[in-house]
Amino acid sequence: MTKTAILGGVPVVNSYVFLAGDRDTIITGLPAFATTPRWRFQTRLAPRLAKLPTMQDPAGRANIEALLGARPDVVLVSGAAAEESAEQLERLGLTPFRLTRFGADGDRDAVDRRIIAAVGKLYGRERAADAYDRLFDETHARLRRGLTGLSDAERPKVLYFEYGLMRQQHYVPDWWIAHAGGVSVTARDRHTELMALSVEQVIAWDPDIIIVNSRREIDEVRKDRRLADLTAVRANRIHAIPWGVCGWGYHTVEHPLTLLWAAKLLHPDRFRDIDLAGELKRFYSGFFSYTLDDEEAADILAGAPDR
């Protein structure tokens, strides 16, 4: 395989290819939203992405003319808008590879493993996929050992949300918060994946810990007088989600790291042995063939820049 086009959730799909595929075959660039400093590690891992053209509209639908001209060997398709283009691409002789078919309800790690296994097989990199599968097993085993004997009363109430937009986009945070020994307040009576929030609802939940989507939002939550009486605000337990090739809160291959970070955040006494910077460096070296320095590791763990 010499040419890979990516359609839909480009940065997330890139992360799958970084881990279990071949980043040098990618011929599609980053969409406009992913060219900001927040997504800096996309081009650090694959510098050529910065010079490649995008082949989709802002919604993720294919630019058919551009794709036909590029003649990719495969088009990795992710997301509803991209799926709309898949059948047309197939009729025109291109090869769509639908990552959405590997999704499923339940634990997010099952979805991650399924997608990585499929991508690894597609690129002949089954060893990377197997190593990723083992890492998930090892991570869950570490969490189970650390959380042994944890009572329901010891599980903090946690809110992860995008403060600026007052929303949470996916079910994923409910999964990693629960596995890390917390109670995700958004998991209660949830009926839709995209969840719009109100200040009144956040106050009613009164989370013990708040996790936001960028460093700037930590200060914004602190300064919001409407939230001043929240337990998390009074205890100064407001944190930014780490942000590497993707944000660790939603869809990313970095979920084993999300679980370790969240467990240490929620239960520091139980997970003193976790060296997050060390875990991060090993992951990037082993799976991305990229050597993080101390400053880069700290930068990722500090959360996303303002934009």
Side-chain angles (χ1 to χ4, degrees):
M1 188 180 302
T2 58
K3 292 182 180 180
T4 301
I6 294 174
L7 199 62
V10 173
V12 175
V13 181
N14 281 349
S15 76
Y16 301 144
V17 177
F18 293 165
L19 192 147
D22 183 350
R23 73 194 72 177
D24 292 333
T25 69
I26 297 174
I27 61 170
T28 43
L30 296 165
F33 77 84
T35 59
T36 65
R38 174 169 294 192
W39 300 94
R40 59 210 179 282
F41 279 93
Q42 290 276 322
T43 50
R44 289 191 195 178
L45 267 63
R48 51 193 297 277
L49 291 178
K51 298 180 180 180
L52 294 173
T54 57
M55 297 191 189
Q56 64 182 45
D57 66 16
R61 288 181 291 267
N63 180 330
I64 299 295
E65 184 177 351
L67 284 168
L68 286 174
R71 300 305 299 180
D73 299 295
V74 66
V75 184
L76 301 184
V77 176
S78 173
E83 280 284 354
E84 294 175 11
S85 306
E87 289 186 10
Q88 184 180 4
L89 294 175
E90 203 161 20
R91 288 196 302 270
L92 293 170
L94 298 178
T95 305
F97 189 82
R98 296 174 172 87
L99 294 174
T100 44
R101 65 179 156 179
F102 298 103
D105 292 333
D107 277 0
R108 177 66 204 183
D109 65 295
V111 179
D112 288 335
R113 295 183 203 223
R114 198 173 292 118
I115 291 174
I116 288 299
V119 172
K121 185 175 182 180
L122 180 67
Y123 287 87
R125 294 198 64 207
E126 289 89 346
R127 277 186 165 182
D130 289 344
Y132 186 72
D133 199 56
R134 288 193 301 273
L135 177 62
F136 250 126
D137 286 340
E138 293 164 4
T139 301
H140 281 303
R142 292 175 73 177
L143 295 189
R144 284 193 297 270
R145 288 193 299 270
L147 296 173
T148 298
L150 185 75
S151 68
D152 289 344
E154 293 174 293
R155 293 179 177 269
K157 293 185 297 179
V158 183
L159 170 63
Y160 169 64
F161 74 139
E162 298 168 63
Y163 168 78
L165 297 172
M166 289 301 289
R167 71 179 186 184
Q168 190 192 90
Q169 291 193 69
H170 303 289
Y171 294 115
V172 181
D174 297 340
W175 162 77
W176 56 258
I177 290 169
H179 277 282
V183 175
S184 176
V185 295
T186 54
R188 301 176 181 179
D189 301 318
R190 184 172 192 156
H191 303 293
T192 59
E193 186 160 22
L194 175 60
M195 193 173 191
L197 306 179
S198 66
V199 170
E200 292 75 19
Q201 179 63 77
V202 172
I203 291 171
W205 280 328
D206 190 22
D208 302 303
I209 297 172
I210 291 174
I211 301 170
V212 290
N213 225 35
S214 71
R215 303 170 197 174
R216 180 188 63 199
E217 289 189 341
I218 295 175
D219 286 334
E220 290 176 342
V221 170
R222 283 178 183 149
K223 293 175 181 177
D224 190 332
R225 294 182 180 179
R226 299 169 300 174
L227 305 178
D229 290 331
L230 291 181
T231 299
V233 175
R234 287 188 284 108
N236 199 28
R237 300 202 70 183
I238 310 166
H239 308 272
I241 196 78
W243 203 290
V245 293
C246 297
W248 289 11
Y250 290 145
H251 301 307
T252 178
V253 295
E254 296 155 292
H255 280 145
L257 297 169
T258 306
L259 292 169
L260 295 177
W261 173 83
K264 191 175 181 73
L265 178 71
L266 273 54
H267 301 284
D269 291 341
R270 288 175 173 262
F271 293 99
R272 290 193 186 95
D273 64 317
I274 294 179
D275 172 13
L276 290 169
E279 297 287 348
L280 179 53
K281 289 179 181 181
R282 281 189 289 276
F283 186 97
Y284 271 59
S285 174
F287 288 107
F288 294 151
S289 298
Y290 183 88
T291 302
L292 287 172
D293 60 30
D294 291 342
E295 185 177 349
E296 287 178 314
D299 189 39
I300 289 172
L301 292 171
D306 291 349
R307 58 188 179 90

